Amino acid sequence: MPQPSNQPAAPEPGASSQTGKVFSRSSYPEYRRILSILRTETVGGALLLAATVVALIWANSPAADGYFALRDVKIGYEPWHLDLSLGHWASDGLLAVFFFLAGLELKREFVAGELRKPARAVVPVAAAVGGVVVPALIYVLFNLGTAGETLKGWAIPTATDIAFALAVLAVINTHLPAALRTFLLTLAVVDDLIAIGIIAFFYSTGLQPLMLLAALVPLALFTFLVQKRIRSWYLLLPLALATWGFVHASGIHATVAGVLLGFAVPVLASGKKGEPAEGLAEHLEHKLRPFSAGFAVPVFAFFSAGVALGGLDGMEAALRDPVALGIVAALVIGKAVGVFGTTFLVTKTTRASLDSSIAWIDLFGLALLAGIGFTVSLLIGELSFGAGSAHNDHAKVAILAGSLISALLAAVVLKARNRRYRQVQADEERDDDGDGVPDVFARA
């Protein structure tokens, strides 16, 4: 039987820009790098889920007072305005590590990854933008006729939690093709960049220009050292902490410091004699990603996800709040429509076609998976309404509910395609010529 004209029998791997194909495979080294990142994030996602469950159980148990008392314990040096609660330290301090890695990954994507070529970058970037704009519009529609304060939460449903999404994939034991895994990671990275910009421009209060200028001094020194490929932690860490401290004092959310520090790190090795082949960005990523995924993000989730649900009556009251309704609709419907719809439009308007290993139903399942918003959504919820406020508690319930519904819907769609994914995975692992590179990557 002849094959359809828009799906050639032997597509060139990685040749989407030449053949008008999208979602083709990247190079084998990039494939292996992404697999390594996703394995770490999958473990982190499992810990994230565990921390969330523990927080919810404790916050709704007879010992709930102990949970909230622990979250609100203050430690730190008051003259430097660093006498923060443990929950505040988790959101401002530990998440700075998460955003540092986001900065590293984003820079790497633009310098040496999927985003360095406009032809390959346009689809995930457009999908990420659509996945931010549509949920924000849906949230606003639900809250237009309410008090102005509720509109502050417009950005809550805009971010995708890659660790949570990968944990769902691990639970349902699906085997996404390499192109879909790359798209999911790239989508999440661009998503994080947009979220960082939103936090910096819309959720900064009481700006202190002198503190911001002061932050440029340690940041410049940090940049100088890393550009010289200096890896000594006892030089880099104090400068990073000083940058974080001044940004925190400036009124801009401290996690932005993590991104700025990440952008400063060079991605590629200089190639000088005697220098390790591993670039500094890759070196720092290997050192810090296990800490971020295994400790920083789960601890943040533990202190942020705990909300007293108040039984069925409390949950009903929460879900009657336009804030909660808007978040659930935005995560479940807005993310799917934004990511899938934008991907479809960009692909069709550029007269491109999907790679032969991918079908549109796969993209729809991935778009549903993008509705899992957790870590950054919880952070923006706190910035929008304040920790402990009624709207923030309702937002937490909605984030959990919307993410759970999105996860279940994505699981149904992707699990139904798992047989096809296993076939694609077998092709991606076959190495008939024994050269150590799977045959489908040999020409990438």
Side-chain angles (χ1 to χ4, degrees), residues 55-100:
L56 285 171
I57 292 174
W58 193 356
N60 291 277
S61 72
D65 290 344
Y67 169 82
F68 295 109
L70 177 64
R71 184 192 66 184
D72 296 336
V73 167
K74 288 193 173 184
I75 58 173
Y77 191 54
E78 195 278 334
W80 291 357
H81 305 289
L82 292 177
D83 53 334
L84 310 176
S85 68
L86 291 180
H88 200 165
W89 275 112
S91 63
D92 280 25
L94 291 178
L95 274 196
V97 180
F98 168 83
F99 280 108
F100 174 76

Side-chain angles (χ1 to χ4, degrees), residues 240-254:
L241 291 175
T243 303
W244 176 90
F246 283 122
V247 171
H248 180 271
S250 73
I252 295 177
H253 198 267

Side-chain angles (χ1 to χ4, degrees), residues 1 10 17 21 46 60 82-84 123 128 144 148 209 222 255 293 306 324 349 376:
M1 178 182 294
S17 59
K21 284 197 172 296
N60 291 277
L82 292 177
D83 53 334
L84 310 176
V123 173
L144 271 180
F222 180 91
T255 53
T349 54
V376 178

Side-chain angles (χ1 to χ4, degrees), residues 215-289:
L216 296 179
V217 177
L219 177 62
L221 291 173
F222 180 91
T223 303
F224 174 79
L225 292 178
V226 293
Q227 290 296 324
K228 293 294 184 181
R229 273 61 175 185
I230 292 174
R231 305 184 177 211
S232 305
W233 68 268
Y234 51 84
L235 295 176
L236 299 179
L237 182 58
L239 292 172
L241 291 175
T243 303
W244 176 90
F246 283 122
V247 171
H248 180 271
S250 73
I252 295 177
H253 198 267
T255 53
V256 175
V259 181
L260 296 176
L261 291 165
F263 284 165
V265 179
V267 169
L268 304 176
S270 67
K272 293 180 180 178
K273 186 177 180 181
E275 185 191 27
E278 179 186 63
L280 183 54
E282 189 177 357
H283 170 76
L284 292 175
E285 186 176 331
H286 286 165
K287 294 290 185 182
L288 291 176
R289 191 172 290 280

Side-chain angles (χ1 to χ4, degrees), residues 65-153:
D65 290 344
Y67 169 82
F68 295 109
L70 177 64
R71 184 192 66 184
D72 296 336
V73 167
K74 288 193 173 184
I75 58 173
Y77 191 54
E78 195 278 334
W80 291 357
H81 305 289
L82 292 177
D83 53 334
L84 310 176
S85 68
L86 291 180
H88 200 165
W89 275 112
S91 63
D92 280 25
L94 291 178
L95 274 196
V97 180
F98 168 83
F99 280 108
F100 174 76
L101 288 168
L104 283 180
E105 183 60 31
L106 184 68
K107 184 175 180 180
R108 193 198 182 287
E109 287 293 327
F110 277 112
V111 173
E114 291 296 300
L115 301 180
R116 75 186 186 280
K117 296 180 180 178
R120 293 185 70 96
V122 63
V123 173
V125 170
V129 172
V132 168
V133 172
V134 176
L137 290 175
I138 288 178
Y139 177 90
V140 170
L141 287 175
F142 271 83
N143 288 272
L144 271 180
T146 62
E149 183 186 25
T150 63
L151 290 175
K152 293 179 181 177

Side-chain angles (χ1 to χ4, degrees), residues 390-413:
H391 281 317
N392 186 45
D393 285 348
H394 293 169
K396 289 181 182 181
V397 174
I399 291 166
L400 292 169
S403 297
L404 180 60
I405 294 169
S406 295
L408 291 174
L409 293 175
V412 171
V413 174

